[in-house]
Amino acid sequence: MASVAKNTYHHGDLRQGLIDAAISLISEEGISDLSLRQVARRVGVSHNAPYRHFEDKEALLAAVAEQGFQALGVAMETARQGMSIDASQRLEAIGIAYVKFALAQPFHYRLMFGDYHDNLSKYSALAEAAQQSFMVLVSTIQEGQAAGIFRSANPVDIARVAWSLVHGQSMLALDNKLQIEQGEEFVAFLKFSSQMLLQGLAGHSAT
Amino acid sequence: MASVAKNTYHHGDLRQGLIDAAISLISEEGISDLSLRQVARRVGVSHNAPYRHFEDKEALLAAVAEQGFQALGVAMETARQGMSIDASQRLEAIGIAYVKFALAQPFHYRLMFGDYHDNLSKYSALAEAAQQSFMVLVSTIQEGQAAGIFRSANPVDIARVAWSLVHGQSMLALDNKLQIEQGEEFVAFLKFSSQMLLQGLAGHSAT
DNA sequence: ACCTGAACACCGTTCAAGT
DNA sequence: ACCTGAACACCGTTCAAGT
């Protein structure tokens, strides 16, 4: 008997359906008003069904954050490959793609760094997704070191600095604390930042 | 008639009492579980009294954030004056004091950058306190430019870069995303970061 | 296995009174 | 003016059942 779609929805993948509903609700109304019951309502399921797939509300949010890191990693990797082999250009392209991701999905980005995962050992999939996007930075820095255009410090430390810079820019921009209007002026600021970072990154023998 | 302290507490400054109670509750249990009713209970007042002083819960949190920025500004200014006149050393000292402030008061720091003030025009006192702490950075950078040791770009842009860096470091450290254990190793990382930033900041004619 | 409604202990906020 | 208790519409989570 051919399976016919039922209108109860949840014969499929309720877990992913809940995540999708949470993401779209968050992008519409932000995080602070998001309730588990609301997510269940949007999916067409009782307010209690989510507990079959998530231990509590925090676990659902952790899954949403995890998918955010996966998407961010893809955006960074795409930016990296869109550039020629020059590691400086690649690093700048990654940084700009990173901040643009944050600005395009402000609530989702903020959720990825929320304080709801104090015990991140509990959410290992989330930690792993974050680690994976971080590795895009590390490997690009190693490329630059191999090419002799970046100084020879610990590449993980350098990546931490770069990540801190783009994360700080993203968060402060989302908070309207940088006092720069979006558009050309903001992109100019991002390029100024990466130029400063790259100069700090240059090998000692640079001109 | 000499005024005798009553045990109703709130004959004094209920507004500040609520802020203090919120700060201590936050430092004990974090932000996510903080409720307005809990704050009122701690102060010994009905769950409704706070509405005499704050329009809603968000307004109380904004006041808490504002006092956080004032304390942060003091910490930065103290670090600046504790250093000799050299602008590079001052900038590094400010950066380290900044991150230490964040790590010492993790919940309070996070609250200062929460998304609860989308319309920050509504909380002008908060915006002003943030601006004031930012100016400590700007003026230190101007000092370095006047002394000829920093490049001559827009000092506000440079300050934005520096703020982004320390804010990113603070947030990622609070999130346990930097994978560095606190202590000497972390301070070494902070010094490495500021060294990189300072090299990027150096004037073109630097050796 | 997966989903359900009822129930519990909490919220933020509003309102009509009290002093 | 400032504070109060009662009330409303919501939560997150638990539990005992239903299929």
Side-chain angles (χ1 to χ4, degrees), chain B residues 112-186:
Chain B
M112 287 159 59
F113 296 92
D115 71 337
Y116 57 90
H117 39 60
D118 280 346
N119 42 358
L120 74 170
S121 60
K122 204 169 150 188
Y123 303 112
S124 56
L126 169 58
E128 199 178 332
Q131 177 67 16
Q132 212 160 336
S133 63
F134 179 65
M135 287 312 292
V136 179
L137 274 178
V138 175
S139 58
T140 304
I141 284 156
Q142 286 172 325
E143 278 176 22
Q145 287 178 322
I149 59 175
F150 291 166
R151 59 151 78 176
S152 61
N154 178 357
V156 172
D157 270 339
I158 296 176
R160 283 173 178 140
V161 172
W163 192 13
S164 296
L165 180 62
V166 290
H167 181 55
Q169 287 173 327
S170 299
M171 289 296 245
L172 292 176
L174 291 186
D175 258 8
N176 267 330
K177 288 220 158 54
L178 288 184
Q179 308 274 54
I180 309 181
E181 32 181 326
Q182 294 204 21
E184 278 189 34
E185 202 189 348
F186 188 71

Coordinates of all heavy atoms in Angstrom, one line a residue, chain B residues 112-186:
Chain B
M112 N 24.6 42.5 30.0 CA 24.8 43.9 29.4 C 24.7 43.9 27.9 O 24.5 44.9 27.2 CB 26.2 44.3 29.8 CG 26.4 44.7 31.3 SD 28.1 44.7 31.9 CE 28.9 45.8 30.8
F113 N 24.9 42.7 27.3 CA 24.8 42.6 25.8 C 23.7 41.7 25.4 O 23.7 41.2 24.3 CB 26.1 42.0 25.3 CG 27.3 42.9 25.6 CD1 28.1 42.8 26.7 CD2 27.6 44.0 24.7 CE1 29.1 43.7 27.0 CE2 28.6 44.8 25.0 CZ 29.4 44.7 26.1
G114 N 22.7 41.6 26.2 CA 21.5 40.7 25.8 C 20.7 41.4 24.7 O 20.9 42.6 24.4
D115 N 19.8 40.7 24.2 CA 19.0 41.2 23.1 C 17.7 41.9 23.6 O 16.8 42.1 22.8 CB 18.6 40.1 22.1 CG 17.6 39.1 22.7 OD1 17.5 39.1 24.0 OD2 16.9 38.5 22.0
Y116 N 17.7 42.1 24.9 CA 16.4 42.7 25.4 C 16.3 44.1 25.1 O 15.2 44.7 25.4 CB 16.4 42.4 26.9 CG 17.5 43.1 27.6 CD1 17.4 44.4 28.1 CD2 18.7 42.4 27.8 CE1 18.5 45.0 28.7 CE2 19.8 43.0 28.4 CZ 19.7 44.3 28.8 OH 20.8 44.9 29.4
H117 N 17.2 44.8 24.5 CA 17.1 46.2 24.2 C 17.3 46.4 22.7 O 18.2 47.1 22.3 CB 18.1 47.0 25.0 CG 19.4 46.4 25.1 ND1 20.2 46.1 24.0 CD2 20.1 46.0 26.2 CE1 21.3 45.6 24.4 NE2 21.3 45.5 25.7
D118 N 16.3 45.8 22.0 CA 16.3 46.0 20.5 C 16.2 47.5 20.2 O 16.8 48.1 19.4 CB 15.2 45.3 19.9 CG 15.6 43.8 19.7 OD1 16.8 43.5 19.9 OD2 14.7 43.0 19.5
N119 N 15.3 48.1 20.9 CA 15.0 49.6 20.8 C 15.8 50.3 21.8 O 15.2 50.8 22.8 CB 13.5 49.9 20.8 CG 12.9 49.1 22.0 OD1 13.6 48.3 22.6 ND2 11.6 49.3 22.2
L120 N 17.1 50.4 21.6 CA 17.9 51.0 22.6 C 17.7 52.5 22.8 O 18.2 53.1 23.8 CB 19.4 50.7 22.4 CG 20.1 51.5 21.2 CD1 21.6 51.3 21.3 CD2 19.5 51.2 19.9
S121 N 17.0 53.1 21.9 CA 16.6 54.5 22.0 C 15.7 54.7 23.3 O 15.7 55.7 23.9 CB 15.9 55.0 20.8 OG 14.7 54.3 20.6
K122 N 15.1 53.6 23.6 CA 14.2 53.6 24.8 C 15.0 53.6 26.1 O 14.5 54.1 27.1 CB 13.4 52.3 24.8 CG 12.0 52.4 25.5 CD 11.2 51.2 25.2 CE 10.3 50.8 26.3 NZ 9.6 49.5 26.0
Y123 N 16.2 53.1 26.0 CA 17.1 53.0 27.2 C 18.3 53.9 27.0 O 19.4 53.4 26.9 CB 17.4 51.6 27.5 CG 16.2 50.7 27.7 CD1 15.9 49.7 26.8 CD2 15.4 50.9 28.8 CE1 14.8 48.9 26.9 CE2 14.2 50.1 28.9 CZ 14.0 49.1 28.0 OH 12.9 48.3 28.2
S124 N 18.1 55.2 27.0 CA 19.2 56.1 26.6 C 20.3 56.1 27.7 O 21.4 56.3 27.4 CB 18.6 57.5 26.4 OG 17.9 57.9 27.6
A125 N 19.9 55.9 28.9 CA 20.9 55.9 30.0 C 21.8 54.7 29.8 O 23.1 54.8 30.0 CB 20.2 55.8 31.4
L126 N 21.3 53.6 29.4 CA 22.1 52.4 29.1 C 23.1 52.7 27.9 O 24.3 52.4 28.0 CB 21.2 51.2 28.7 CG 21.9 50.0 28.2 CD1 22.9 49.4 29.1 CD2 20.8 48.9 27.9
A127 N 22.5 53.3 26.9 CA 23.4 53.6 25.7 C 24.5 54.6 26.1 O 25.6 54.4 25.6 CB 22.5 54.2 24.6
E128 N 24.1 55.5 26.9 CA 25.1 56.5 27.3 C 26.2 55.9 28.2 O 27.4 56.2 28.0 CB 24.4 57.6 28.1 CG 25.3 58.9 28.2 CD 24.5 60.0 28.9 OE1 23.3 60.0 28.9 OE2 25.2 60.8 29.5
A129 N 25.9 55.0 29.1 CA 26.9 54.3 29.9 C 27.8 53.5 29.0 O 29.0 53.5 29.3 CB 26.2 53.5 31.0
A130 N 27.3 52.8 28.0 CA 28.1 52.0 27.1 C 29.0 52.9 26.4 O 30.2 52.6 26.2 CB 27.2 51.2 26.2
Q131 N 28.5 54.0 25.9 CA 29.3 55.0 25.1 C 30.5 55.5 26.0 O 31.6 55.7 25.5 CB 28.4 56.1 24.7 CG 29.1 57.3 23.9 CD 29.6 56.8 22.6 OE1 29.2 55.8 22.1 NE2 30.6 57.6 22.0
Q132 N 30.2 55.8 27.2 CA 31.2 56.3 28.1 C 32.4 55.4 28.3 O 33.5 55.8 28.3 CB 30.6 56.7 29.4 CG 31.2 57.9 30.1 CD 30.3 58.5 31.1 OE1 29.1 58.3 31.1 NE2 30.9 59.2 32.1
S133 N 32.1 54.1 28.5 CA 33.2 53.1 28.6 C 33.9 53.0 27.3 O 35.2 52.8 27.3 CB 32.6 51.8 29.1 OG 31.8 51.2 28.2
F134 N 33.2 53.1 26.2 CA 33.9 53.0 24.9 C 34.9 54.2 24.7 O 36.0 54.0 24.2 CB 32.8 53.1 23.8 CG 33.4 53.1 22.4 CD1 34.0 52.0 21.9 CD2 33.2 54.2 21.6 CE1 34.5 51.9 20.6 CE2 33.7 54.1 20.3 CZ 34.3 53.0 19.8
M135 N 34.6 55.3 25.3 CA 35.5 56.5 25.2 C 36.8 56.3 25.8 O 37.8 57.0 25.5 CB 34.8 57.8 25.7 CG 33.6 58.3 24.8 SD 34.1 58.4 23.0 CE 35.3 59.7 23.1
V136 N 36.9 55.4 26.8 CA 38.2 55.2 27.4 C 39.1 54.6 26.4 O 40.3 55.0 26.3 CB 38.0 54.2 28.6 CG1 39.4 53.9 29.2 CG2 37.1 54.8 29.7
L137 N 38.6 53.7 25.6 CA 39.4 53.2 24.5 C 39.8 54.2 23.5 O 41.0 54.4 23.1 CB 38.6 52.1 23.8 CG 38.6 50.7 24.3 CD1 37.7 49.8 23.5 CD2 40.1 50.1 24.3
V138 N 38.8 55.0 23.0 CA 39.1 56.0 22.0 C 40.2 57.0 22.5 O 41.1 57.3 21.7 CB 37.8 56.8 21.7 CG1 38.1 57.9 20.7 CG2 36.7 55.9 21.1
S139 N 40.1 57.5 23.7 CA 41.1 58.5 24.1 C 42.5 57.9 24.3 O 43.5 58.6 24.0 CB 40.6 59.2 25.4 OG 40.4 58.3 26.4
T140 N 42.5 56.6 24.7 CA 43.8 56.0 24.8 C 44.5 55.8 23.4 O 45.7 56.0 23.2 CB 43.7 54.6 25.4 OG1 43.1 54.8 26.7 CG2 45.1 54.0 25.6
I141 N 43.6 55.5 22.4 CA 44.2 55.4 21.1 C 44.6 56.8 20.5 O 45.6 56.9 19.9 CB 43.1 54.8 20.1 CG1 43.0 53.3 20.4 CG2 43.4 55.0 18.7 CD1 41.7 52.6 20.1
Q142 N 43.9 57.8 20.9 CA 44.3 59.1 20.4 C 45.6 59.5 21.1 O 46.5 60.2 20.4 CB 43.2 60.1 20.8 CG 42.0 60.0 19.8 CD 40.8 60.9 20.3 OE1 40.6 61.0 21.5 NE2 40.1 61.4 19.3
E143 N 45.8 59.1 22.3 CA 47.1 59.4 22.9 C 48.2 58.7 22.2 O 49.3 59.3 21.9 CB 47.1 58.8 24.4 CG 46.5 59.6 25.4 CD 46.5 58.8 26.8 OE1 47.3 57.9 26.9 OE2 45.6 59.2 27.6
G144 N 48.0 57.5 21.8 CA 49.1 56.7 21.0 C 49.3 57.4 19.7 O 50.5 57.4 19.2
Q145 N 48.3 57.9 19.1 CA 48.5 58.6 17.8 C 49.2 59.9 17.9 O 50.1 60.2 17.1 CB 47.1 58.8 17.1 CG 46.4 57.6 16.6 CD 45.1 57.8 16.0 OE1 44.3 58.6 16.5 NE2 44.8 57.1 14.9
A146 N 48.9 60.6 19.0 CA 49.6 61.9 19.3 C 51.1 61.6 19.5 O 52.0 62.4 19.1 CB 49.0 62.6 20.4
A147 N 51.4 60.5 20.2 CA 52.8 60.1 20.5 C 53.5 59.5 19.2 O 54.7 59.2 19.3 CB 52.8 59.1 21.6
G148 N 52.7 59.3 18.2 CA 53.3 58.8 16.9 C 53.6 57.3 16.9 O 54.3 56.8 16.0
I149 N 53.0 56.6 17.9 CA 53.3 55.1 17.8 C 52.1 54.3 17.3 O 52.3 53.1 17.0 CB 53.6 54.6 19.3 CG1 52.5 54.9 20.2 CG2 54.9 55.2 19.8 CD1 52.7 54.3 21.6
F150 N 51.0 55.0 17.0 CA 49.9 54.3 16.4 C 49.6 54.9 15.0 O 49.8 56.1 14.8 CB 48.6 54.4 17.2 CG 48.6 53.7 18.5 CD1 47.6 53.9 19.4 CD2 49.5 52.7 18.8 CE1 47.6 53.2 20.7 CE2 49.5 52.0 20.0 CZ 48.5 52.3 20.9
R151 N 49.2 54.1 14.1 CA 48.9 54.6 12.7 C 47.8 55.6 12.8 O 47.0 55.7 13.7 CB 48.5 53.5 11.8 CG 47.3 52.7 12.3 CD 46.5 52.1 11.2 NE 47.1 50.9 10.7 CZ 46.6 50.2 9.8 NH1 45.4 50.5 9.2 NH2 47.2 49.1 9.4
S152 N 47.7 56.4 11.8 CA 46.8 57.6 11.8 C 45.5 57.3 11.1 O 45.1 58.1 10.2 CB 47.5 58.8 11.2 OG 47.8 58.6 9.9
A153 N 44.8 56.3 11.5 CA 43.5 56.0 10.9 C 42.5 56.7 11.9 O 42.8 57.2 12.9 CB 43.2 54.5 10.8
N154 N 41.2 56.6 11.5 CA 40.1 57.1 12.4 C 40.2 56.4 13.7 O 40.0 55.2 13.8 CB 38.8 56.8 11.7 CG 37.6 57.3 12.5 OD1 37.8 57.8 13.7 ND2 36.4 57.2 12.0
P155 N 40.4 57.1 14.8 CA 40.6 56.5 16.1 C 39.3 55.8 16.6 O 39.4 54.8 17.3 CB 40.9 57.7 17.1 CG 40.5 58.9 16.3 CD 40.6 58.6 14.9
V156 N 38.2 56.2 16.1 CA 36.9 55.5 16.5 C 36.9 54.1 15.8 O 36.5 53.2 16.4 CB 35.7 56.4 16.1 CG1 34.4 55.5 16.3 CG2 35.6 57.6 17.0
D157 N 37.3 54.1 14.6 CA 37.4 52.8 13.9 C 38.3 51.8 14.6 O 38.1 50.6 14.8 CB 37.8 52.9 12.4 CG 36.6 53.1 11.5 OD1 35.5 52.8 11.9 OD2 36.8 53.7 10.4
I158 N 39.5 52.4 15.0 CA 40.5 51.5 15.7 C 39.9 51.1 17.0 O 40.0 49.9 17.4 CB 41.8 52.3 15.9 CG1 42.4 52.7 14.6 CG2 42.7 51.5 16.8 CD1 43.7 53.5 14.8
A159 N 39.2 51.9 17.7 CA 38.6 51.6 19.0 C 37.5 50.5 18.8 O 37.4 49.6 19.6 CB 38.0 52.8 19.7
R160 N 36.8 50.6 17.7 CA 35.8 49.5 17.4 C 36.5 48.2 17.2 O 35.9 47.2 17.6 CB 35.0 49.9 16.1 CG 34.0 51.0 16.3 CD 33.4 51.4 14.9 NE 32.4 52.4 15.1 CZ 32.2 53.5 14.2 NH1 33.1 53.7 13.2 NH2 31.3 54.4 14.4
V161 N 37.6 48.2 16.5 CA 38.3 46.9 16.3 C 38.8 46.4 17.7 O 38.6 45.2 18.0 CB 39.5 47.1 15.4 CG1 40.4 45.9 15.4 CG2 39.1 47.5 14.0
A162 N 39.3 47.2 18.5 CA 39.8 46.8 19.8 C 38.7 46.3 20.7 O 38.8 45.2 21.3 CB 40.5 47.9 20.5
W163 N 37.6 47.0 20.7 CA 36.4 46.6 21.4 C 35.9 45.2 20.9 O 35.6 44.3 21.7 CB 35.3 47.6 21.4 CG 34.2 47.4 22.4 CD1 34.2 46.6 23.4 CD2 32.9 48.1 22.4 NE1 33.0 46.6 24.1 CE2 32.2 47.5 23.5 CE3 32.3 49.0 21.6 CZ2 30.9 48.0 23.8 CZ3 31.0 49.4 21.9 CH2 30.3 48.9 23.0
S164 N 35.8 45.1 19.6 CA 35.3 43.8 19.1 C 36.2 42.7 19.5 O 35.7 41.6 19.9 CB 35.3 43.9 17.5 OG 34.4 44.9 17.0
L165 N 37.5 42.9 19.5 CA 38.4 41.8 19.9 C 38.2 41.4 21.4 O 38.0 40.3 21.7 CB 39.9 42.3 19.7 CG 40.9 41.3 20.1 CD1 40.8 40.0 19.3 CD2 42.3 41.8 19.9
V166 N 38.2 42.4 22.3 CA 38.0 42.0 23.7 C 36.6 41.5 24.0 O 36.4 40.6 24.8 CB 38.4 43.2 24.7 CG1 39.9 43.4 24.6 CG2 37.6 44.4 24.4
H167 N 35.6 42.0 23.3 CA 34.3 41.5 23.5 C 34.2 40.1 23.0 O 33.6 39.2 23.7 CB 33.2 42.4 22.9 CG 31.8 42.0 23.0 ND1 31.3 41.8 24.3 CD2 30.9 41.7 22.1 CE1 30.0 41.4 24.1 NE2 29.7 41.3 22.8
G168 N 34.7 39.8 21.9 CA 34.7 38.5 21.3 C 35.4 37.5 22.3 O 34.9 36.4 22.5
Q169 N 36.6 37.9 22.7 CA 37.3 37.1 23.7 C 36.5 36.8 24.9 O 36.4 35.6 25.4 CB 38.6 37.7 24.0 CG 39.7 37.7 22.9 CD 40.9 38.6 23.3 OE1 40.8 39.5 24.0 NE2 42.0 38.1 22.8
S170 N 35.9 37.8 25.4 CA 35.1 37.6 26.7 C 33.9 36.7 26.5 O 33.7 35.7 27.2 CB 34.6 39.0 27.1 OG 35.6 39.9 27.4
M171 N 33.2 36.9 25.4 CA 32.0 36.1 25.2 C 32.4 34.6 24.9 O 31.8 33.7 25.4 CB 31.2 36.7 24.0 CG 30.5 37.9 24.4 SD 29.2 37.7 25.7 CE 27.8 38.1 24.7
L172 N 33.4 34.5 24.0 CA 33.8 33.1 23.7 C 34.4 32.4 24.9 O 34.1 31.2 25.1 CB 34.8 33.1 22.6 CG 34.2 33.6 21.2 CD1 35.3 33.6 20.2 CD2 33.1 32.6 20.7
A173 N 35.1 33.1 25.7 CA 35.6 32.5 27.0 C 34.5 32.1 27.9 O 34.5 31.0 28.5 CB 36.6 33.5 27.7
L174 N 33.5 33.0 28.0 CA 32.3 32.7 28.9 C 31.6 31.4 28.4 O 31.0 30.7 29.1 CB 31.4 33.8 29.0 CG 31.9 35.1 29.7 CD1 30.8 36.1 29.9 CD2 32.4 34.7 31.1
D175 N 31.6 31.3 27.1 CA 30.9 30.2 26.4 C 31.8 28.9 26.4 O 31.3 27.9 25.9 CB 30.6 30.5 25.0 CG 29.2 30.9 24.7 OD1 28.5 31.1 25.7 OD2 28.8 31.1 23.6
N176 N 32.9 29.0 27.0 CA 33.8 27.8 27.0 C 34.2 27.4 25.5 O 34.5 26.2 25.3 CB 33.2 26.6 27.7 CG 33.6 26.6 29.1 OD1 34.7 27.0 29.5 ND2 32.8 26.1 30.0
K177 N 34.2 28.3 24.6 CA 34.4 28.0 23.2 C 35.9 28.2 22.9 O 36.3 27.8 21.8 CB 33.5 28.8 22.3 CG 32.1 28.4 22.4 CD 31.4 28.5 21.0 CE 30.2 27.6 21.0 NZ 29.2 27.9 22.0
L178 N 36.7 28.8 23.7 CA 38.1 29.0 23.4 C 38.9 27.8 23.7 O 40.1 27.7 23.3 CB 38.6 30.3 24.0 CG 38.1 31.6 23.4 CD1 38.8 32.8 24.1 CD2 38.3 31.6 21.9
Q179 N 38.4 27.0 24.6 CA 39.2 25.8 25.0 C 40.5 26.1 25.6 O 41.5 25.4 25.4 CB 39.4 24.8 23.8 CG 38.1 24.5 23.0 CD 37.4 23.3 23.6 OE1 37.1 23.3 24.8 NE2 37.1 22.4 22.8
I180 N 40.5 27.1 26.4 CA 41.7 27.5 27.2 C 41.4 27.4 28.6 O 40.4 28.1 29.0 CB 42.3 28.8 26.8 CG1 42.4 29.0 25.3 CG2 43.6 29.1 27.5 CD1 43.0 30.4 25.0
E181 N 42.1 26.8 29.5 CA 41.8 26.8 30.9 C 42.2 28.2 31.4 O 43.2 28.7 31.0 CB 42.5 25.7 31.6 CG 43.8 25.3 31.0 CD 44.5 24.1 31.8 OE1 44.3 24.1 33.0 OE2 45.2 23.3 31.2
Q182 N 41.4 28.7 32.4 CA 41.7 30.0 33.0 C 43.1 29.9 33.7 O 43.5 28.8 34.0 CB 40.6 30.4 33.9 CG 39.3 30.7 33.1 CD 38.4 31.6 33.9 OE1 38.9 32.4 34.8 NE2 37.1 31.7 33.6
G183 N 43.6 31.0 34.0 CA 44.9 31.1 34.7 C 46.0 31.6 33.8 O 45.7 32.4 32.9
E184 N 47.2 31.1 34.0 CA 48.4 31.7 33.3 C 48.2 31.5 31.8 O 48.5 32.4 31.0 CB 49.6 30.9 33.7 CG 50.2 31.5 35.0 CD 51.6 30.9 35.3 OE1 52.3 30.6 34.3 OE2 51.9 30.7 36.5
E185 N 47.7 30.3 31.4 CA 47.7 30.1 29.9 C 46.7 31.1 29.3 O 47.0 31.6 28.1 CB 47.1 28.7 29.7 CG 47.5 28.1 28.3 CD 46.8 26.8 28.1 OE1 46.2 26.2 29.0 OE2 46.8 26.3 26.9
F186 N 45.6 31.4 30.0 CA 44.7 32.3 29.4 C 45.3 33.8 29.3 O 45.1 34.5 28.3 CB 43.4 32.3 30.2 CG 42.3 33.1 29.5 CD1 41.7 32.7 28.4 CD2 41.9 34.3 30.1 CE1 40.7 33.4 27.8 CE2 40.9 35.1 29.4 CZ 40.3 34.6 28.3

